[in-house]
């Protein structure tokens, strides 16, 4: 699954620079995660870095974007492929 940022987000700006895929950006009111770019840090780190730094624990799995670890690894490979 990709991750999602809930409305408990306090816009502290610590998650965005931690995302190796550039999946996190400022939305209209809170930060948002692009599910097409989120790999839960699979391929980069053992654990999602945004969850590690979030001071309010507002970054759960997104139930609307269920993916296996294998699918996340495939997405990582596509995102990091040199064209």
């Amino acid at each position: 699954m990709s991750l999602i940022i809930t409305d408990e987000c306090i816009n502290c700006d610590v998650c965005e620079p931690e995302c190796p895929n550039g999946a996190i950006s400022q939305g209209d009111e809170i930060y948002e995660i692009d599910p097409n770019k989120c790999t839960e840090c699979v391929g980069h780190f053992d654990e999602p870095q945004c969850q590690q730094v979030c001071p309010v624990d507002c970054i759960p799995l997104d139930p609307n974007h269920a993916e296996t670890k294998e699918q996340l690894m495939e997405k990582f490979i596509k995102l990091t492929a040199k064209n």
Side-chain angles (χ1 to χ4, degrees), residues 1 38-39 42 65-78:
M1 292 185 178
C38 179
T39 63
V42 167
H65 294 95
E67 295 171 290
T68 65
K69 291 292 182 187
E70 291 78 19
Q71 289 171 313
L72 292 169
M73 181 57 81
E74 288 175 22
K75 190 190 311 184
F76 161 76
I77 292 168
K78 288 178 185 173

Side-chain angles (χ1 to χ4, degrees), residues 21-49:
N21 296 325
I24 301 174
S25 62
Q26 179 64 51
D28 290 336
E29 295 182 25
I30 60 173
Y31 277 87
E32 298 175 347
I33 297 177
D34 181 344
N36 296 314
K37 292 182 179 178
C38 179
T39 63
E40 293 179 51
C41 290
V42 167
H44 294 286
F45 301 101
D46 292 335
E47 297 181 5
Q49 298 301 289

Side-chain angles (χ1 to χ4, degrees), residues 5-6 8-19 24-32 49-59:
I5 297 176
T6 65
E8 286 88 22
C9 176
I10 59 172
N11 290 313
C12 66
D13 303 318
V14 298
C15 61
E16 182 183 21
E18 296 300 319
C19 181
I24 301 174
S25 62
Q26 179 64 51
D28 290 336
E29 295 182 25
I30 60 173
Y31 277 87
E32 298 175 347
Q49 298 301 289
C50 59
Q51 288 181 330
Q52 298 299 307
V53 298
C54 181
V56 292
D57 196 29
C58 68
I59 309 176

